[in-house]
């Protein structure tokens, strides 16, 4: 029975269990894998081909997810091989198990170039300079040395959630066409949540595989990270919405978290409004000069644990950097090493 939330409509009120798959369109199965985070699941899509399967995303490398895949492969996937692994983007909950899958089936690995490179440098220990860059980013934004060292160490755990990222790729770019499950899908590459996130649109069937870019119930993480500390990913995210202008409102959107939904136009408007409110709140809070960490703690008062404060900092900085670009907020610190932001008088 369909469920509604606001103006969005969800054709399935319940979700498949690990190891089960549900057909959401002819030849396209929805499976849900358990994640070891507060965000406790990720969706993957299984597309039936003449000679096996294309899988879109794989989850990360945990024993629970490997077990779920074994059940899927021998159950709903009928023991037929995975021929292609397609990555929406390089975050570990999406591509962590792709190396395992690709080597197990000698499958083709398909994705955007930036996400593949990003995953290769983010999911490897001892990449030269990466810990130092992360540490100085954290100190610059208001953590003391000890807290920064803990956070750097804590994030290294994410690396262990990835099997080795495949060593070569079949590259896809914005506007390309890719054939999956007997349909031609247009590749839509967006920035904001990731550097080159890929969505896949098939207008004839009214389907959009949306990855993390347009999630139904949570706002996709739009965050600044230490590799690009002055970036403005929020501008990129907001600027991406016109790329979906020709996606009809009755399209079934297949997101990586949450359930498939109808109502893409409404959802885009909700996401615009969410960030408009966050930007207003950020400018209001920064009437008092603060570091980004102080602001993150004020904006996310219930946050706990080092990983979550790390994400909160990244999201807060995305809003700060956007306001700095627009000359609404400035870095007013006069000491080298720590940034203090303040809203400029108008
Ligand atoms: Zn993601």
């Amino acid at each position: 029975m369909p469920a509604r939330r606001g103006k969005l409509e969800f054709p399935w009120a319940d979700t498949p269990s690990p190891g089960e798959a549900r057909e959401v369109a002819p030849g396209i199965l929805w499976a849900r894998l358990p994640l070891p985070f507060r965000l406790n699941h990720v969706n993957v899509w299984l597309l039936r081909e003449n000679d096996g399967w294309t899988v879109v995303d794989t989850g990360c490398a945990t024993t629970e997810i490997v077990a779920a895949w074994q059940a899927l492969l021998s159950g709903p996937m009928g023991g037929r091989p995975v021929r292609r692994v397609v990555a929406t983007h390089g975050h570990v909950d999406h591509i962590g198990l792709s190396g395992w899958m690709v080597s197990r089936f000698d499958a083709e690995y398909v994705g955007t170039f930036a996400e593949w490179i990003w995953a290769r440098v983010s999911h490897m220990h001892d990449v030269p300079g990466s810990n130092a860059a992360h540490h100085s980013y954290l100190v610059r934004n208001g953590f003391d040395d000890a807290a920064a060292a803990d956070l750097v160490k804590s994030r290294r755990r994410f690396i262990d959630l990835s099997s080795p990222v495949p060593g070569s790729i079949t590259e896809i770019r914005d506007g390309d066409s890719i054939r999956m499950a007997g349909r031609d899908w247009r590749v839509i590459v967006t920035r904001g949540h990731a550097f080159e996130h890929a969505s896949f649109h098939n207008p004839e069937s009214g389907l959009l595989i949306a990855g993390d870019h347009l999630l139904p119930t949570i706002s996709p993480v739009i965050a600044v990270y230490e590799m690009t500390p002055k970036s403005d990913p929020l501008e990129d995210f907001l600027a991406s919405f016109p790329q979906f202008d020709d996606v009809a409102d009755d399209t079934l959107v297949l997101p990586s978290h949450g359930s498939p939904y109808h109502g893409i136009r409404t959802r885009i408007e909700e996401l615009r409004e969410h960030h408009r409110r966050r930007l207003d709140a950020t400018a209001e809070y920064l009437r008092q000069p603060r570091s980004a960490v102080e602001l993150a703690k004020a904006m996310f008062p219930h946050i706990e644990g080092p990983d979550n404060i790390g994400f909160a900092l990244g999201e807060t900085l995305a809003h700060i950097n956007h306001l700095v670009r627009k000359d609404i907020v400035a870095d007013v610190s006069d000491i080298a090493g720590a940034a203090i932001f303040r809203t400029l008088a108008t």
Side-chain angles (χ1 to χ4, degrees):
M1 198 206 287
R4 295 191 75 87
R5 186 190 60 76
K7 289 184 188 149
L8 300 188
E9 189 181 289
F10 298 85
W12 295 275
D14 62 340
T15 56
S17 311
E20 288 178 2
R22 178 167 305 168
E23 190 158 57
V24 292
I28 302 178
L29 307 186
W30 167 26
R32 208 168 178 261
L33 305 172
L35 288 181
F37 312 124
R38 205 165 58 135
L39 179 58
N40 65 3
H41 71 277
V42 63
N43 298 324
V44 294
W45 311 100
L46 319 173
L47 293 95
R48 195 177 290 122
E49 310 291 3
N50 289 334
D51 58 351
W53 294 91
T54 295
V55 307
V56 177
D57 291 344
T58 59
C60 51
T62 64
T63 48
E64 291 79 9
I65 290 185
V66 170
W69 274 115
Q70 310 279 23
L72 287 167
L73 287 161
S74 59
M77 297 170 79
R80 298 165 74 235
V82 172
R83 297 295 186 192
R84 258 187 319 186
V85 175
V86 176
T88 57
H89 62 301
H91 293 169
V92 74
D93 50 330
H94 297 259
I95 58 92
L97 208 55
S98 56
W100 174 85
M101 187 80 86
V102 163
S103 63
R104 176 173 168 158
F105 291 101
D106 195 20
E108 184 182 13
Y109 185 56
V110 179
T112 62
F113 189 74
E115 290 303 302
W116 173 65
I117 289 288
W118 185 89
R120 279 177 69 85
V121 296
S122 301
H123 302 147
M124 273 193 325
H125 288 288
D126 304 324
V127 175
S130 65
N131 287 347
H134 191 193
H135 189 98
S136 62
Y137 157 86
L138 293 167
V139 169
R140 176 164 172 72
N141 285 300
F143 285 103
D144 62 34
D145 261 327
D150 279 353
L151 272 164
V152 170
K153 210 192 290 167
S154 148
R155 217 194 32 210
R156 291 171 65 81
R157 287 186 295 112
F158 282 84
I159 300 172
D160 298 326
L161 292 171
S162 184
S163 58
V165 178
S168 68
I169 192 169
T170 301
E171 188 191 354
I172 46 172
R173 299 184 183 192
D174 187 49
D176 281 357
S177 181
I178 178 171
R179 193 154 180 88
M180 301 188 286
R183 300 162 174 88
D184 292 319
W185 303 73
R186 181 171 63 94
V187 179
I188 303 174
V189 175
T190 49
R191 295 179 65 107
H193 176 71
F195 289 94
E196 284 187 355
H197 179 291
S199 303
F200 303 92
H201 181 214
N202 177 255
E204 292 78 17
S205 309
L207 294 168
L208 177 75
I209 298 173
D212 276 358
H213 201 72
L214 294 169
L215 300 174
T217 42
I218 54 171
S219 167
V221 172
I222 306 299
V224 170
Y225 300 99
E226 74 282 1
M227 284 186 201
T228 53
K230 303 244 163 138
S231 64
D232 182 0
L234 183 54
E235 177 65 28
D236 292 330
F237 185 58
L238 298 173
S240 76
F241 294 147
Q243 293 179 260
F244 298 90
D245 275 355
D246 66 348
V247 177
D249 201 32
D250 61 356
T251 298
L252 181 65
V253 183
L254 306 178
S256 292
H257 307 286
S259 291
Y261 67 99
H262 295 290
I264 184 171
R265 301 262 76 81
T266 300
R267 188 58 188 143
I268 285 175
E269 217 25 71
E270 287 174 351
L271 290 167
R272 263 204 196 101
E273 181 56 28
H274 166 79
H275 287 293
R276 213 177 284 143
R277 283 198 309 267
R278 290 306 264 188
L279 287 167
D280 286 350
T282 302
E284 189 58 38
Y285 270 119
L286 290 178
R287 287 176 185 279
Q288 294 257 355
R290 297 172 201 248
S291 70
V293 165
E294 286 171 326
L295 180 57
K297 287 178 178 165
M299 300 274 280
F300 298 89
H302 304 299
I303 213 92
E304 280 174 13
D307 299 334
N308 293 326
I309 187 68
F311 280 119
L313 170 63
E315 294 217 30
T316 301
L317 212 44
H319 291 87
I320 292 176
N321 284 3
H322 190 68
L323 293 170
V324 168
R325 286 272 180 108
K326 292 194 171 310
D327 290 328
I328 295 169
V329 162
D331 177 355
V332 295
S333 58
D334 49 10
I335 354 156
I340 300 291
F341 297 99
R342 184 169 66 76
T343 298
L344 298 169
T346 48

